[in-house]
Amino acid sequence: MSVHSEIPQPDLSYAMEKARPADYTENGFYGRDIISVRQFNRENLKYIFRVAEEMRSMVERFGSADLLQGKVLANLFYEPSTRTSSSFSAAMQRLGGRVIAINEVVYSSVAKGESLPDTVRTLECYADVIVLRHPEVGAAAIAAHYARKPVINAGDGVGEHPTQALLDLFTIQEELGQIDGLKVAMVGDLKYGRTVHSLTRLLCLYDVDLYFVSPDILRMPAEILEEVKEAGLDYTETSDIHDVIRDVDVLYVTRVQKERFTDLSQYEAVKDCYIVDPELMALAKEKMIVMHPFPRVGEISYAVDDDPRAAYFRQMVNGMYIRMALLAAVLGKA
Ligand code: NCD
């Protein structure tokens, strides 16, 4: 499953080249790859969110449209996924397009040793856009280098998950009506969680206070903390969720990423480090939200689901609207 070693590897600074923010908002995304949240600025986020809201009204009124009729999406997943792959698939189908789903690469030629560049160059013969999830950091940038059609990063190892961060930010905006001025806590596995890496980078575009709550061995990587500092934002690191629960507007909870640990005894030691339950929620503000990218494996008790502050299922719904907006944008139909 690795990107073949004998394949010429593009310099990953290529990813940064691709990652310059689109400089015009009335569809600067046409034909572009979506690899990193670094491609976004406040202006083009506003544009994507506006399109996502239009997608919401369209779906609520009509269910589907024919905007992407005749277009084909290849959904290529080298790692497990429920929400990301099915929401991309639903997004494409609700816009009238079709989907080639390769969710189980073990049944594809990847199992015969086909390289990532050859797999994406094959899929673009049949599809107009490729959504890729891969276990290695930088895989989406490599795929984008080889493909002529747009590649959308649906998670590259512990690297980034830009479309999740977009839907997370959109959810904060929709639920609380603003982003500037908020206190946002990220809780759990901040070392391996790609969703919190991307969300932190996006939040650097806003005026927010950040709280990073994790066990010592799962702290936010130093390079991301550096970016937060460079953005001029205040942040606090703690291992005790009680230090933040009374003050935060957004509690973004994550799963401890078992599959990224080399030493499973370390995983066992931290896996149940935080549990959000009604007792903890009793300490939180009346107007705040609890988010989670899911899957949850015990970090939020089911008893919290009926609390109106539990926003994680609404967050999933928003994922489809954001992915509809992104597909329409890269295919030139937004
Ligand atoms: C996340 C992921 O794959 O990074 N899931 C998702 O896309 N909604 C979070 C996780 O796996 O814990």
Side-chain angles (χ1 to χ4, degrees):
M1 284 224 298
S2 75
V3 178
H4 257 230
S5 49
E6 71 268 27
I7 304 250
Q9 298 281 311
D11 179 352
L12 278 187
S13 59
Y14 174 79
M16 300 313 299
E17 163 67 18
K18 287 247 158 189
R20 277 192 314 234
D23 39 14
Y24 38 101
T25 47
E26 282 308 324
N27 197 357
F29 290 99
Y30 178 36
R32 291 187 60 157
D33 305 301
I34 300 205
I35 304 300
S36 163
V37 287
R38 292 189 171 99
Q39 289 169 258
F40 295 87
N41 55 32
R42 287 178 72 134
E43 273 308 291
N44 60 29
L45 284 168
K46 217 191 272 176
Y47 168 69
I48 293 292
F49 292 176
R50 200 179 71 226
V51 178
E53 278 176 5
E54 283 168 18
M55 295 299 180
R56 183 202 299 280
S57 346
M58 187 281 286
V59 170
E60 284 172 357
R61 291 182 65 197
F62 307 111
S64 64
D66 58 5
L67 201 64
L68 297 183
Q69 197 170 17
K71 300 286 184 191
V72 176
L73 157 74
N75 234 357
L76 176 60
F77 280 69
Y78 289 71
E79 277 190 345
S81 169
T82 299
R83 276 146 294 275
T84 309
S85 83
S86 56
S87 67
F88 264 114
S89 184
M92 191 64 181
Q93 295 180 58
R94 284 189 184 270
L95 289 172
R98 295 191 177 238
V99 182
I100 300 171
I102 306 190
N103 285 330
E104 282 287 357
V105 288
V106 286
Y107 298 121
S108 76
S109 286
V110 171
K112 301 181 193 166
E114 185 161 76
S115 68
L116 179 65
D118 281 353
T119 302
V120 297
R121 281 192 294 201
T122 302
L123 288 172
E124 71 175 348
C125 298
Y126 315 129
D128 303 288
V129 53
I130 297 169
V131 170
L132 173 72
R133 170 168 289 184
H134 196 281
E136 290 178 28
V137 176
I142 289 170
H145 177 81
Y146 285 96
R148 279 164 307 163
K149 307 261 175 80
V151 171
I152 301 180
N153 183 3
D156 60 335
V158 300
E160 281 222 32
H161 195 346
T163 68
Q164 178 73 41
L166 257 59
L167 78 89
D168 291 340
L169 197 67
F170 181 62
T171 300
I172 296 172
Q173 170 75 54
E174 296 280 296
E175 294 274 331
L176 299 174
Q178 67 188 83
I179 298 165
D180 285 323
L182 296 181
K183 294 184 189 327
V184 180
M186 298 187 204
V187 179
D189 188 344
L190 309 185
K191 178 178 182 188
Y192 297 121
R194 55 194 170 201
T195 69
V196 283
H197 299 166
S198 287
L199 182 59
T200 301
R201 288 188 166 123
L202 263 194
L203 284 170
C204 285
L205 298 171
Y206 297 84
D207 179 19
V208 291
D209 288 336
L210 294 173
Y211 300 86
F212 299 122
V213 184
S214 73
D216 202 43
I217 61 164
L218 297 179
R219 283 165 64 183
M220 185 62 87
E223 66 179 90
I224 298 180
L225 294 178
E226 205 45 52
E227 289 178 41
V228 172
K229 262 188 244 164
E230 275 166 28
L233 295 184
D234 275 343
Y235 72 84
T236 307
E237 287 185 280
T238 174
S239 57
D240 188 351
I241 198 167
H242 292 91
D243 288 347
V244 306
I245 189 66
R246 288 177 179 79
D247 298 323
V248 293
D249 303 294
V250 177
L251 189 72
Y252 190 100
V253 186
T254 63
R255 161 182 83 90
V256 178
Q257 309 270 303
K258 184 178 182 184
E259 67 276 28
R260 313 285 180 210
F261 282 74
T262 41
D263 176 356
L264 272 188
S265 67
Q266 281 203 341
Y267 167 74
E268 290 296 328
V270 289
K271 70 178 173 45
D272 295 321
C273 48
Y274 304 107
I275 296 177
V276 178
D277 57 15
E279 205 181 311
L280 186 78
M281 289 303 292
L283 305 174
K285 295 204 295 196
E286 206 176 307
K287 187 177 173 207
M288 57 83 76
I289 52 171
V290 182
M291 299 175 68
H292 193 306
F294 268 52
R296 66 174 153 184
V297 287
E299 317 76 52
I300 302 181
S301 82
Y302 285 82
V304 174
D305 295 358
D306 293 330
D307 188 315
R309 296 170 293 182
Y312 29 91
F313 291 107
R314 299 190 291 274
Q315 186 183 349
M316 288 175 204
V317 180
N318 290 336
M320 186 176 75
Y321 301 133
I322 284 289
R323 288 170 176 136
M324 290 172 82
L326 289 171
L327 288 171
V330 301
L331 293 170
K333 301 284 184 180

PDB file of all heavy atoms in Angstrom, residues 48 51-53 55-57 59-60 91 94 170 316-326:
ATOM      1  N   ILE A  48     -17.237  29.322  -0.755  1.00  0.00           N
ATOM      2  CA  ILE A  48     -17.607  27.899  -0.649  1.00  0.00           C
ATOM      3  C   ILE A  48     -18.804  27.737   0.300  1.00  0.00           C
ATOM      4  O   ILE A  48     -19.736  26.974   0.023  1.00  0.00           O
ATOM      5  CB  ILE A  48     -16.401  27.049  -0.158  1.00  0.00           C
ATOM      6  CG1 ILE A  48     -15.290  27.015  -1.221  1.00  0.00           C
ATOM      7  CG2 ILE A  48     -16.825  25.624   0.230  1.00  0.00           C
ATOM      8  CD1 ILE A  48     -15.617  26.248  -2.496  1.00  0.00           C
ATOM      9  N   VAL A  51     -21.989  28.734  -1.448  1.00  0.00           N
ATOM     10  CA  VAL A  51     -22.450  27.686  -2.371  1.00  0.00           C
ATOM     11  C   VAL A  51     -23.041  26.520  -1.564  1.00  0.00           C
ATOM     12  O   VAL A  51     -24.078  25.954  -1.930  1.00  0.00           O
ATOM     13  CB  VAL A  51     -21.301  27.204  -3.297  1.00  0.00           C
ATOM     14  CG1 VAL A  51     -21.778  26.081  -4.218  1.00  0.00           C
ATOM     15  CG2 VAL A  51     -20.745  28.364  -4.128  1.00  0.00           C
ATOM     16  N   ALA A  52     -22.399  26.159  -0.434  1.00  0.00           N
ATOM     17  CA  ALA A  52     -22.915  25.053   0.399  1.00  0.00           C
ATOM     18  C   ALA A  52     -24.332  25.375   0.896  1.00  0.00           C
ATOM     19  O   ALA A  52     -25.204  24.500   0.942  1.00  0.00           O
ATOM     20  CB  ALA A  52     -21.981  24.791   1.577  1.00  0.00           C
ATOM     21  N   GLU A  53     -24.569  26.643   1.234  1.00  0.00           N
ATOM     22  CA  GLU A  53     -25.922  27.015   1.685  1.00  0.00           C
ATOM     23  C   GLU A  53     -26.935  26.897   0.551  1.00  0.00           C
ATOM     24  O   GLU A  53     -28.069  26.462   0.759  1.00  0.00           O
ATOM     25  CB  GLU A  53     -25.921  28.426   2.268  1.00  0.00           C
ATOM     26  CG  GLU A  53     -25.440  28.359   3.693  1.00  0.00           C
ATOM     27  CD  GLU A  53     -25.293  29.697   4.376  1.00  0.00           C
ATOM     28  OE1 GLU A  53     -25.651  30.723   3.783  1.00  0.00           O
ATOM     29  OE2 GLU A  53     -24.794  29.693   5.516  1.00  0.00           O
ATOM     30  N   MET A  55     -26.660  24.758  -1.822  1.00  0.00           N
ATOM     31  CA  MET A  55     -26.850  23.307  -1.970  1.00  0.00           C
ATOM     32  C   MET A  55     -27.860  22.805  -0.942  1.00  0.00           C
ATOM     33  O   MET A  55     -28.707  21.980  -1.235  1.00  0.00           O
ATOM     34  CB  MET A  55     -25.516  22.565  -1.801  1.00  0.00           C
ATOM     35  CG  MET A  55     -24.505  22.874  -2.888  1.00  0.00           C
ATOM     36  SD  MET A  55     -25.120  22.401  -4.530  1.00  0.00           S
ATOM     37  CE  MET A  55     -23.728  22.882  -5.566  1.00  0.00           C
ATOM     38  N   ARG A  56     -27.760  23.344   0.293  1.00  0.00           N
ATOM     39  CA  ARG A  56     -28.720  22.941   1.328  1.00  0.00           C
ATOM     40  C   ARG A  56     -30.156  23.279   0.911  1.00  0.00           C
ATOM     41  O   ARG A  56     -31.040  22.418   0.955  1.00  0.00           O
ATOM     42  CB  ARG A  56     -28.398  23.634   2.653  1.00  0.00           C
ATOM     43  CG  ARG A  56     -29.331  23.201   3.786  1.00  0.00           C
ATOM     44  CD  ARG A  56     -29.385  24.214   4.928  1.00  0.00           C
ATOM     45  NE  ARG A  56     -28.105  24.432   5.574  1.00  0.00           N
ATOM     46  CZ  ARG A  56     -27.581  23.620   6.487  1.00  0.00           C
ATOM     47  NH1 ARG A  56     -28.225  22.532   6.853  1.00  0.00           N
ATOM     48  NH2 ARG A  56     -26.415  23.895   7.030  1.00  0.00           N
ATOM     49  N   SER A  57     -30.375  24.518   0.437  1.00  0.00           N
ATOM     50  CA  SER A  57     -31.755  24.858   0.056  1.00  0.00           C
ATOM     51  C   SER A  57     -32.217  24.015  -1.116  1.00  0.00           C
ATOM     52  O   SER A  57     -33.371  23.593  -1.152  1.00  0.00           O
ATOM     53  CB  SER A  57     -31.950  26.325  -0.332  1.00  0.00           C
ATOM     54  OG  SER A  57     -30.917  27.105   0.030  1.00  0.00           O
ATOM     55  N   VAL A  59     -31.293  20.907  -1.879  1.00  0.00           N
ATOM     56  CA  VAL A  59     -31.601  19.545  -1.413  1.00  0.00           C
ATOM     57  C   VAL A  59     -32.901  19.542  -0.609  1.00  0.00           C
ATOM     58  O   VAL A  59     -33.748  18.664  -0.779  1.00  0.00           O
ATOM     59  CB  VAL A  59     -30.430  18.954  -0.588  1.00  0.00           C
ATOM     60  CG1 VAL A  59     -30.840  17.657   0.106  1.00  0.00           C
ATOM     61  CG2 VAL A  59     -29.213  18.726  -1.479  1.00  0.00           C
ATOM     62  N   GLU A  60     -33.079  20.571   0.240  1.00  0.00           N
ATOM     63  CA  GLU A  60     -34.300  20.597   1.056  1.00  0.00           C
ATOM     64  C   GLU A  60     -35.548  20.748   0.184  1.00  0.00           C
ATOM     65  O   GLU A  60     -36.594  20.199   0.488  1.00  0.00           O
ATOM     66  CB  GLU A  60     -34.217  21.704   2.106  1.00  0.00           C
ATOM     67  CG  GLU A  60     -33.294  21.272   3.250  1.00  0.00           C
ATOM     68  CD  GLU A  60     -32.978  22.376   4.273  1.00  0.00           C
ATOM     69  OE1 GLU A  60     -33.426  23.532   4.093  1.00  0.00           O
ATOM     70  OE2 GLU A  60     -32.259  22.062   5.226  1.00  0.00           O
ATOM     71  N   ALA A  91     -23.030  13.388  -2.436  1.00  0.00           N
ATOM     72  CA  ALA A  91     -22.915  14.745  -2.983  1.00  0.00           C
ATOM     73  C   ALA A  91     -22.938  14.691  -4.509  1.00  0.00           C
ATOM     74  O   ALA A  91     -23.651  15.441  -5.177  1.00  0.00           O
ATOM     75  CB  ALA A  91     -21.631  15.399  -2.479  1.00  0.00           C
ATOM     76  N   ARG A  94     -26.412  13.566  -5.782  1.00  0.00           N
ATOM     77  CA  ARG A  94     -27.455  14.598  -5.631  1.00  0.00           C
ATOM     78  C   ARG A  94     -27.279  15.724  -6.648  1.00  0.00           C
ATOM     79  O   ARG A  94     -28.210  16.467  -6.915  1.00  0.00           O
ATOM     80  CB  ARG A  94     -27.487  15.149  -4.214  1.00  0.00           C
ATOM     81  CG  ARG A  94     -28.140  14.177  -3.247  1.00  0.00           C
ATOM     82  CD  ARG A  94     -28.360  14.818  -1.917  1.00  0.00           C
ATOM     83  NE  ARG A  94     -28.890  13.873  -0.947  1.00  0.00           N
ATOM     84  CZ  ARG A  94     -30.188  13.645  -0.749  1.00  0.00           C
ATOM     85  NH1 ARG A  94     -31.107  14.283  -1.458  1.00  0.00           N
ATOM     86  NH2 ARG A  94     -30.575  12.775   0.159  1.00  0.00           N
ATOM     87  N   PHE A 170     -17.701  25.326   8.662  1.00  0.00           N
ATOM     88  CA  PHE A 170     -19.049  25.667   8.202  1.00  0.00           C
ATOM     89  C   PHE A 170     -20.058  25.371   9.324  1.00  0.00           C
ATOM     90  O   PHE A 170     -20.972  26.161   9.585  1.00  0.00           O
ATOM     91  CB  PHE A 170     -19.362  24.848   6.946  1.00  0.00           C
ATOM     92  CG  PHE A 170     -20.716  25.093   6.332  1.00  0.00           C
ATOM     93  CD1 PHE A 170     -21.067  26.334   5.835  1.00  0.00           C
ATOM     94  CD2 PHE A 170     -21.644  24.053   6.203  1.00  0.00           C
ATOM     95  CE1 PHE A 170     -22.316  26.557   5.243  1.00  0.00           C
ATOM     96  CE2 PHE A 170     -22.886  24.256   5.616  1.00  0.00           C
ATOM     97  CZ  PHE A 170     -23.220  25.509   5.136  1.00  0.00           C
ATOM     98  N   MET A 316     -22.413  16.129  10.262  1.00  0.00           N
ATOM     99  CA  MET A 316     -22.360  15.166   9.139  1.00  0.00           C
ATOM    100  C   MET A 316     -23.209  15.633   7.970  1.00  0.00           C
ATOM    101  O   MET A 316     -22.819  15.490   6.815  1.00  0.00           O
ATOM    102  CB  MET A 316     -22.901  13.801   9.579  1.00  0.00           C
ATOM    103  CG  MET A 316     -21.998  13.052  10.488  1.00  0.00           C
ATOM    104  SD  MET A 316     -22.839  11.533  11.014  1.00  0.00           S
ATOM    105  CE  MET A 316     -21.958  11.239  12.535  1.00  0.00           C
ATOM    106  N   VAL A 317     -24.381  16.170   8.270  1.00  0.00           N
ATOM    107  CA  VAL A 317     -25.257  16.664   7.195  1.00  0.00           C
ATOM    108  C   VAL A 317     -24.526  17.770   6.434  1.00  0.00           C
ATOM    109  O   VAL A 317     -24.508  17.790   5.201  1.00  0.00           O
ATOM    110  CB  VAL A 317     -26.591  17.209   7.775  1.00  0.00           C
ATOM    111  CG1 VAL A 317     -27.489  17.724   6.665  1.00  0.00           C
ATOM    112  CG2 VAL A 317     -27.299  16.151   8.586  1.00  0.00           C
ATOM    113  N   ASN A 318     -23.890  18.666   7.182  1.00  0.00           N
ATOM    114  CA  ASN A 318     -23.158  19.759   6.538  1.00  0.00           C
ATOM    115  C   ASN A 318     -22.053  19.243   5.630  1.00  0.00           C
ATOM    116  O   ASN A 318     -21.704  19.882   4.637  1.00  0.00           O
ATOM    117  CB  ASN A 318     -22.549  20.678   7.603  1.00  0.00           C
ATOM    118  CG  ASN A 318     -23.616  21.473   8.330  1.00  0.00           C
ATOM    119  OD1 ASN A 318     -24.701  21.694   7.794  1.00  0.00           O
ATOM    120  ND2 ASN A 318     -23.315  21.901   9.543  1.00  0.00           N
ATOM    121  N   GLY A 319     -21.498  18.074   5.982  1.00  0.00           N
ATOM    122  CA  GLY A 319     -20.424  17.497   5.163  1.00  0.00           C
ATOM    123  C   GLY A 319     -20.871  17.278   3.728  1.00  0.00           C
ATOM    124  O   GLY A 319     -20.111  17.518   2.783  1.00  0.00           O
ATOM    125  N   MET A 320     -22.103  16.842   3.560  1.00  0.00           N
ATOM    126  CA  MET A 320     -22.565  16.607   2.195  1.00  0.00           C
ATOM    127  C   MET A 320     -22.700  17.928   1.423  1.00  0.00           C
ATOM    128  O   MET A 320     -22.303  18.014   0.250  1.00  0.00           O
ATOM    129  CB  MET A 320     -23.899  15.869   2.200  1.00  0.00           C
ATOM    130  CG  MET A 320     -24.341  15.491   0.796  1.00  0.00           C
ATOM    131  SD  MET A 320     -25.834  14.526   0.774  1.00  0.00           S
ATOM    132  CE  MET A 320     -27.068  15.770   1.140  1.00  0.00           C
ATOM    133  N   TYR A 321     -23.209  18.976   2.087  1.00  0.00           N
ATOM    134  CA  TYR A 321     -23.374  20.261   1.381  1.00  0.00           C
ATOM    135  C   TYR A 321     -22.022  20.862   0.998  1.00  0.00           C
ATOM    136  O   TYR A 321     -21.860  21.415  -0.092  1.00  0.00           O
ATOM    137  CB  TYR A 321     -24.167  21.252   2.234  1.00  0.00           C
ATOM    138  CG  TYR A 321     -25.542  20.730   2.600  1.00  0.00           C
ATOM    139  CD1 TYR A 321     -26.016  20.810   3.899  1.00  0.00           C
ATOM    140  CD2 TYR A 321     -26.352  20.137   1.631  1.00  0.00           C
ATOM    141  CE1 TYR A 321     -27.268  20.320   4.235  1.00  0.00           C
ATOM    142  CE2 TYR A 321     -27.593  19.637   1.957  1.00  0.00           C
ATOM    143  CZ  TYR A 321     -28.049  19.729   3.257  1.00  0.00           C
ATOM    144  OH  TYR A 321     -29.282  19.234   3.582  1.00  0.00           O
ATOM    145  N   ILE A 322     -21.054  20.749   1.910  1.00  0.00           N
ATOM    146  CA  ILE A 322     -19.714  21.273   1.607  1.00  0.00           C
ATOM    147  C   ILE A 322     -19.105  20.491   0.445  1.00  0.00           C
ATOM    148  O   ILE A 322     -18.493  21.060  -0.464  1.00  0.00           O
ATOM    149  CB  ILE A 322     -18.802  21.180   2.858  1.00  0.00           C
ATOM    150  CG1 ILE A 322     -19.163  22.288   3.850  1.00  0.00           C
ATOM    151  CG2 ILE A 322     -17.322  21.223   2.513  1.00  0.00           C
ATOM    152  CD1 ILE A 322     -18.767  23.701   3.417  1.00  0.00           C
ATOM    153  N   ARG A 323     -19.285  19.178   0.440  1.00  0.00           N
ATOM    154  CA  ARG A 323     -18.689  18.376  -0.645  1.00  0.00           C
ATOM    155  C   ARG A 323     -19.413  18.619  -1.960  1.00  0.00           C
ATOM    156  O   ARG A 323     -18.788  18.602  -3.027  1.00  0.00           O
ATOM    157  CB  ARG A 323     -18.639  16.918  -0.224  1.00  0.00           C
ATOM    158  CG  ARG A 323     -17.560  16.761   0.848  1.00  0.00           C
ATOM    159  CD  ARG A 323     -17.496  15.470   1.566  1.00  0.00           C
ATOM    160  NE  ARG A 323     -16.345  15.487   2.466  1.00  0.00           N
ATOM    161  CZ  ARG A 323     -16.363  15.045   3.728  1.00  0.00           C
ATOM    162  NH1 ARG A 323     -17.454  14.524   4.237  1.00  0.00           N
ATOM    163  NH2 ARG A 323     -15.269  15.117   4.455  1.00  0.00           N
ATOM    164  N   MET A 324     -20.704  18.902  -1.898  1.00  0.00           N
ATOM    165  CA  MET A 324     -21.421  19.285  -3.129  1.00  0.00           C
ATOM    166  C   MET A 324     -20.820  20.586  -3.664  1.00  0.00           C
ATOM    167  O   MET A 324     -20.565  20.723  -4.868  1.00  0.00           O
ATOM    168  CB  MET A 324     -22.918  19.487  -2.847  1.00  0.00           C
ATOM    169  CG  MET A 324     -23.657  18.193  -2.552  1.00  0.00           C
ATOM    170  SD  MET A 324     -25.356  18.472  -1.991  1.00  0.00           S
ATOM    171  CE  MET A 324     -26.180  18.701  -3.561  1.00  0.00           C
ATOM    172  N   ALA A 325     -20.589  21.546  -2.757  1.00  0.00           N
ATOM    173  CA  ALA A 325     -20.038  22.848  -3.172  1.00  0.00           C
ATOM    174  C   ALA A 325     -18.651  22.660  -3.790  1.00  0.00           C
ATOM    175  O   ALA A 325     -18.333  23.251  -4.826  1.00  0.00           O
ATOM    176  CB  ALA A 325     -19.973  23.790  -1.973  1.00  0.00           C
ATOM    177  N   LEU A 326     -17.828  21.816  -3.167  1.00  0.00           N
ATOM    178  CA  LEU A 326     -16.466  21.625  -3.668  1.00  0.00           C
ATOM    179  C   LEU A 326     -16.456  20.920  -5.025  1.00  0.00           C
ATOM    180  O   LEU A 326     -15.702  21.292  -5.928  1.00  0.00           O
ATOM    181  CB  LEU A 326     -15.638  20.808  -2.665  1.00  0.00           C
ATOM    182  CG  LEU A 326     -15.276  21.545  -1.370  1.00  0.00           C
ATOM    183  CD1 LEU A 326     -14.649  20.574  -0.373  1.00  0.00           C
ATOM    184  CD2 LEU A 326     -14.328  22.715  -1.650  1.00  0.00           C
TER     185      LEU A 326
END
